[in-house]
Amino acid sequence: MTTNDFIQKPTGNETYALNKVPAFIVSTNVPVRASVRVDGQSNPFYVATYSPDFSGRVTVDFGDLYGDCIGTVLPQSDDYTQQGYRKLFHVNIIETSGEFAQGYTGVSFQYYVAATRLKSPTAFSTWCLNHFLTNQPIEKVTTHEAVEWLTFFSPGEKRTLKVRFYSKSGTSYDYVVKSTNTAGCHTENVSYSRVIKNNLFIPGTMLGYYDLILMDDDMHELAVQRYIYSEYSGLEKYFCFVNQLGGIDTLICRGANTLQPEMTHSVGRFGGRYLPVDDTEDVREWGQNSGMMPYRQRDWIWELLSAKKDACKYEPSDKSFNDIVVKSSEISMSDDDQLASCSFTYIYRDESGGVNTQGGHGYLHNSSVIKHEEMKDLTENVELGVEDDVTQSVTVNATKVFVEYTTRGASLSRYDPVYYYIGDATEPSGSFTPGEQDSMVIEIEEGQSIRFSTENSDIAKITVKYYK
């Protein structure tokens, strides 16, 4: 038997989505024995014999087996590489006569399978070039305490993930969240509380949304995800799901969270007295309502709940992740209302826990971002009064400080510069001129002190802000 006997087979060293791996179809009149193993393992994890059909063909399909060997896990760090997302499989197929192989080695194949179930007709090796591994809305609402992840697959070419903030004055600021040449699946923490700390705008001067942009080596935009900031109400619960594409999505639920266990009470009679008997295993079961959300998100919700993969509940108070298992769900979201809700029930995987498809770029809508809210200011604020033309010094636990000033009157009448001194410097480290700049960003080494001096009598106090 040679490769010419195969009517259909996977392409060597090609990467396939989990549900897109071609079956082996071989033309033969005798049974064949097929084995498959994961790269790095010496023994196959599956061996079986297949008989030909009436047309003299044998079909070998391992589609139900790949998923047991690959998968995505919840990240263990802000910058995480998924080791098990894609693996190389080795297949050997050989003709047999009874229990004896006709030949020595048969025909061997090797190809990659990624933990993605892809509905697109496009091959995974092409599709992954310009998509994040998520089906979440391209304009997703988030809060300052929510954890948000974005996952992308790099085929070995350079990929750069940037965040872009927008100011009310019409300018924007980009900085690199991650840049890599390493082939593989990368999961990045893009939560507001993380990315805001590297931006050059003070929250009050910013528009309430930011973009994550995936770029190639020539800095061409491949995919974009927008997060629209919303002030949290205190009712939010955060659930992270491994989705069908192999990424991690966060579902923010503002509906009721209800403890609704099914308990069985047994009673026994001892010595003429009825007593409770603890002979059943009771499990705490929780019901979660999503709260009202746009009905167009129902397909994304269905995709998360029907994936039946790893999930967890995130607790922002202590930044912990508690593994959960979804037991049931009810998605009854009609398209005759603008808002709808769904619900699901879950249990904690560990009983001690929890006691305390977007396409390419898509289109970004101005109608969505005009509803944004002011971003929450997470900076530390220190006010320094100007006495005898100088201020006290303040030690800053950050690498960058934002400096603002407050005038004694309604407006400035003098424009004398404000000097700043870093550490033990006796000469000014720099200066800015009030009236020309309302605020200034100063680079500083973490743990250094900073102080100010000015002969401008209009300046009453100077405010130092920094992300601790």
Side-chain angles (χ1 to χ4, degrees):
M1 182 174 63
T2 67
T3 56
N4 293 329
D5 297 317
F6 285 82
I7 300 171
Q8 177 180 289
K9 62 185 184 300
T11 302
N13 295 314
E14 178 73 9
T15 298
Y16 292 95
L18 193 59
N19 60 327
K20 297 287 186 177
V21 186
F24 293 89
I25 302 177
V26 58
S27 177
T28 181
N29 291 315
V30 299
V32 301
R33 187 182 65 198
S35 63
V36 57
R37 66 178 177 86
V38 178
D39 191 54
Q41 297 182 357
S42 57
N43 297 319
F45 63 86
Y46 178 80
V47 179
T49 300
Y50 298 82
S51 297
D53 58 20
F54 292 111
S55 61
R57 295 181 178 183
V58 174
T59 300
V60 180
D61 189 356
F62 302 117
D64 295 333
L65 303 176
Y66 302 121
D68 295 332
C69 305
I70 56 178
T72 301
V73 299
L74 294 166
Q76 305 299 312
S77 61
D78 289 340
D79 181 7
Y80 189 76
T81 301
Q82 299 285 347
Q83 300 296 332
Y85 174 77
R86 184 185 74 153
K87 291 187 178 179
L88 181 65
F89 289 85
H90 298 268
V91 172
N92 181 265
I93 299 178
I94 186 171
E95 291 182 339
T96 66
S97 177
E99 296 182 356
F100 300 96
Q102 295 181 346
Y104 297 99
T105 59
V107 183
S108 297
F109 306 87
Q110 65 178 31
Y111 50 91
Y112 293 91
V113 181
T116 288
R117 292 193 176 275
L118 191 61
K119 295 182 180 179
S120 171
T122 307
F124 176 82
S125 55
T126 301
W127 180 90
C128 71
L129 297 178
N130 56 1
H131 288 79
F132 289 118
L133 299 182
T134 179
N135 283 321
Q136 70 187 10
I138 190 173
E139 299 165 323
K140 184 178 187 294
V141 174
T142 190
T143 71
H144 77 269
E145 65 178 12
V147 60
E148 299 283 357
W149 306 95
L150 271 184
T151 304
F152 64 93
F153 181 80
S154 172
E157 306 164 0
K158 184 175 181 180
R159 289 292 181 267
T160 300
L161 182 64
K162 285 188 174 184
V163 62
R164 177 171 295 166
F165 292 97
Y166 301 89
S167 73
K168 294 177 181 178
S169 63
T171 59
S172 63
Y173 171 70
D174 294 4
Y175 82 86
V176 174
V177 179
K178 181 180 180 66
S179 182
T180 180
N181 291 305
T182 305
C185 183
H186 307 279
T187 299
E188 199 71 19
N189 183 350
V190 294
S191 307
Y192 171 79
S193 59
R194 182 191 182 205
V195 299
I196 190 65
K197 295 181 179 180
N198 291 301
N199 129 67
L200 288 181
F201 298 139
I202 295 175
T205 66
M206 298 166 56
L207 296 175
Y209 57 91
Y210 60 96
D211 294 343
L212 270 298
I213 305 169
L214 186 65
M215 298 181 173
D216 62 14
D217 195 19
D218 296 322
M219 302 311 287
H220 294 145
E221 294 186 5
L222 303 176
V224 63
Q225 171 70 52
R226 173 164 290 177
Y227 292 96
I228 301 174
Y229 183 82
S230 175
E231 189 60 60
Y232 82 116
S233 65
L235 299 176
E236 289 81 2
K237 286 83 179 178
Y238 304 95
F239 296 88
C240 300
F241 293 88
V242 175
N243 62 39
Q244 294 277 24
L245 295 173
I248 294 98
D249 292 346
T250 299
L251 177 61
I252 302 176
C253 297
R254 290 183 169 88
N257 184 270
T258 307
L259 177 62
Q260 48 186 45
E262 297 178 0
M263 293 182 289
T264 302
H265 296 269
S266 298
V267 177
R269 187 173 182 178
F270 302 93
R273 299 179 61 196
Y274 289 102
L275 298 173
V277 179
D278 185 11
D279 60 353
T280 61
E281 184 177 353
D282 300 314
V283 179
R284 278 180 297 188
E285 182 175 311
W286 303 80
Q288 179 64 58
N289 183 271
S290 66
M292 305 307 288
M293 61 176 55
Y295 79 88
R296 290 183 178 86
Q297 296 185 14
R298 59 187 179 179
D299 289 334
W300 171 56
I301 303 298
W302 180 88
E303 183 259 342
L304 290 182
L305 296 176
S306 65
K308 300 177 182 176
K309 297 183 179 181
D310 287 349
C312 69
K313 185 172 184 288
Y314 173 67
E315 297 292 348
S317 58
D318 58 2
K319 295 181 172 55
S320 64
F321 295 88
N322 298 297
D323 293 336
I324 64 171
V325 177
V326 176
K327 289 190 63 179
S328 64
S329 57
E330 181 180 351
I331 305 174
S332 181
M333 303 173 74
S334 172
D335 64 356
D336 62 356
D337 293 315
Q338 289 298 312
L339 297 176
S341 67
C342 66
S343 60
F344 59 93
T345 62
Y346 65 92
I347 58 176
Y348 287 95
R349 186 170 296 178
D350 179 0
E351 174 60 13
S352 63
V355 180
N356 302 316
T357 321
Q358 72 186 30
H361 273 230
Y363 294 95
L364 300 175
H365 304 96
N366 188 57
S367 59
S368 294
V369 301
I370 61 175
K371 295 181 289 188
H372 69 77
E373 300 177 21
E374 290 286 344
M375 291 186 172
K376 187 175 183 62
D377 190 349
L378 300 181
T379 59
E380 299 286 330
N381 289 263
V382 181
E383 292 186 350
L384 304 173
V386 179
E387 300 292 341
D388 298 327
D389 298 337
V390 297
T391 71
Q392 293 181 334
S393 64
V394 58
T395 300
V396 178
N397 294 319
T399 58
K400 153 172 44 181
V401 296
F402 303 91
V403 180
E404 297 177 329
Y405 61 88
T406 304
T407 60
R408 300 183 190 277
S411 61
L412 282 171
S413 60
R414 300 182 58 179
Y415 300 95
D416 303 83
V418 175
Y419 299 95
Y420 60 89
Y421 303 78
I422 297 177
D424 298 326
T426 57
E427 297 295 328
S429 305
S431 66
F432 67 94
T433 303
E436 295 180 358
Q437 298 171 261
D438 293 330
S439 62
M440 183 176 183
V441 180
I442 299 175
E443 302 287 341
I444 190 172
E445 292 185 10
E446 186 173 355
Q448 282 192 321
S449 61
I450 187 170
R451 67 187 191 280
F452 302 85
S453 70
T454 181
E455 296 181 357
N456 192 331
S457 58
D458 286 351
I459 304 299
K461 62 183 178 181
I462 294 175
T463 301
V464 173
K465 296 185 177 183
Y466 61 92
Y467 291 104
K468 186 175 181 180

